[in-house]
């Protein structure tokens, strides 16, 4: 099939599937906002409530209140990104362990994949966007979401279903630490036209602000502000159908107007 013939107008529904509240904004908020501004339905599926994460500095809530607060934060973010719906699967988010050890939120990959597939069927989704092959910085929960997404794609009977992953690798990426080095970028997008939407979405995630700026503040030798760390470029890798030399594909075509480069 020539995927280059897929019409941009046929991109009507996207499912953005991520492990934690804030992943949707920090990893692909600009791309998702651009889709929403073009009247594409963007539905959000978050695996956990994020109750294993940080509570802010100083803390904004008690530990037992964090999950509820982060649910409100992601709802605020999705609204700023123009999302059509938000669903949380409610998996408990494991607390960070000794020496900053991170953990997956479930061992039942098949069940997770089935839940994602059910959301795709319910929403009549054309495109799934999720975490990359390397879990960005190797986060086990991100890796789990990528594996579930790949399982869904491999089981798809729809020849017009596409899977893309975020933080795809390209040489000029401004934050190489989060790159999925196994996923070459097929799309690199300038998101400056929706940067304010992305910033406002990031500002919704108040409990995570200290996390957002910590590394950048150390590197800058001063306390930076959240808007300073929001990426103005985003990248995507097409997993399914696999790239075999052709440029086509719905998001490749859609984002051509904002493309910085398309390496393949």
């Amino acid at each position: 099939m020539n995927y280059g013939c897929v019409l941009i107008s046929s991109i009507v529904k996207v499912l953005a599937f991520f492990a934690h509240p804030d992943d949707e904004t920090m990893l692909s908020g600009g791309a998702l906002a651009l889709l929403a501004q073009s009247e594409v339905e963007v539905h959000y599926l978050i695996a956990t409530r994020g109750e294993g994460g940080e509570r802010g500095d100083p803390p904004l809530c008690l530990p037992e209140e964090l999950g509820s607060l982060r649910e409100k934060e992601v709802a605020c973010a999705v609204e700023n990104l123009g999302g059509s719906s938000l669903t949380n699967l409610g998996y408990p988010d494991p607390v960070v362990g000794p020496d900053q050890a991170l953990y997956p939120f479930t061992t039942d990959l098949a069940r997770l994949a089935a839940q994602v597939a059910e959301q795709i069927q319910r929403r009549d989704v054309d495109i799934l966007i999720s975490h990359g092959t390397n879990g960005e910085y190797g986060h086990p929960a991100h890796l789990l979401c990528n594996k579930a997404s790949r399982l869904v794609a491999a089981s798809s009977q729809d020849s017009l279903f596409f899977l893309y992953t975020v933080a795809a690798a390209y040489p000029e990426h401004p934050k190489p630490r989060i790159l999925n080095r196994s996923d070459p970028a097929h799309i690199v997008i300038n998101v400056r036209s929706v940067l304010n939407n992305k910033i406002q979405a990031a500002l919704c995630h108040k409990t995570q602000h200290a996390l957002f700026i910590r590394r950048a503040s150390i590197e800058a030798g001063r306390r930076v502000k959240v808007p300073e760390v929001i990426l103005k470029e985003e990248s995507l890798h097409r997993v399914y159908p696999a790239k075999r030399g052709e440029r086509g594909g719905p998001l490749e075509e859609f984002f051509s107007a904002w493309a910085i480069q398309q390496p393949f």
Side-chain angles (χ1 to χ4, degrees), residues 16-29 32 44-48 70 74 77 81 93 105 130-131 135-137 139 141-142 145 166 198 205 208 211-212 234:
F17 170 48
F18 293 101
H20 313 98
D22 82 57
D23 292 335
E24 81 295 325
T25 297
M26 302 305 285
L27 295 174
S28 62
L32 297 171
Y44 289 78
L45 181 64
I46 309 299
T48 74
R70 292 196 72 184
V74 71
L81 297 176
D93 183 28
F105 52 84
S130 192
H131 291 285
E136 287 71 64
Y137 46 95
H139 197 306
H142 297 190
C145 290
V166 301
K198 189 177 179 182
H205 291 289
Q208 306 307 298
L211 175 64
F212 292 167
E234 294 176 2

Side-chain angles (χ1 to χ4, degrees), residues 84-250:
S84 298
S85 74
L86 169 63
T87 301
N88 195 297
L89 293 176
Y91 282 98
D93 183 28
V95 175
V96 177
D99 298 322
Q100 299 299 302
L102 302 170
Y103 307 98
F105 52 84
T106 183
T107 58
D108 194 341
L109 177 62
R111 177 171 180 262
L112 177 61
Q115 289 174 307
V116 176
E118 191 275 333
Q119 289 292 321
I120 289 171
Q121 184 175 16
R122 175 184 296 182
R123 305 290 184 186
D124 193 23
V125 161
D126 309 288
I127 297 167
L128 177 62
I129 298 174
S130 192
H131 291 285
T133 302
N134 307 113
E136 287 71 64
Y137 46 95
H139 197 306
H142 297 190
L143 293 167
L144 182 61
C145 290
N146 176 268
K147 291 177 182 177
S149 298
R150 286 176 174 271
L151 188 57
V152 170
S155 303
S156 176
Q157 302 298 312
D158 186 350
S159 63
L160 293 180
F161 176 77
F162 289 78
L163 169 61
Y164 294 84
T165 55
V166 301
Y170 64 101
E172 297 83 10
H173 194 284
K175 287 189 178 180
R177 188 182 75 89
I178 69 168
L179 288 186
N180 292 289
R181 299 189 181 279
S182 298
D183 301 343
H186 297 138
I187 310 168
V188 182
I189 313 159
N190 181 335
V191 301
R192 286 172 175 80
S193 64
V194 290
L195 187 61
N196 186 61
N197 300 74
K198 189 177 179 182
I199 289 172
Q200 292 305 313
L203 292 175
C204 290
H205 291 289
K206 293 181 181 180
T207 58
Q208 306 307 298
H209 286 181
L211 175 64
F212 292 167
I213 68 172
R214 186 172 296 133
R215 182 181 295 268
S217 294
I218 293 171
E219 292 173 352
R222 62 178 177 85
R223 186 177 177 84
V224 303
K225 297 181 179 180
V226 171
E228 296 178 72
V229 302
I230 303 304
L231 289 177
K232 302 176 180 66
E233 298 179 10
E234 294 176 2
S235 54
L236 297 168
H237 170 79
R238 196 177 94 196
V239 176
Y240 179 87
K243 278 279 193 179
R244 292 187 174 88
E246 79 282 9
R247 292 178 60 87

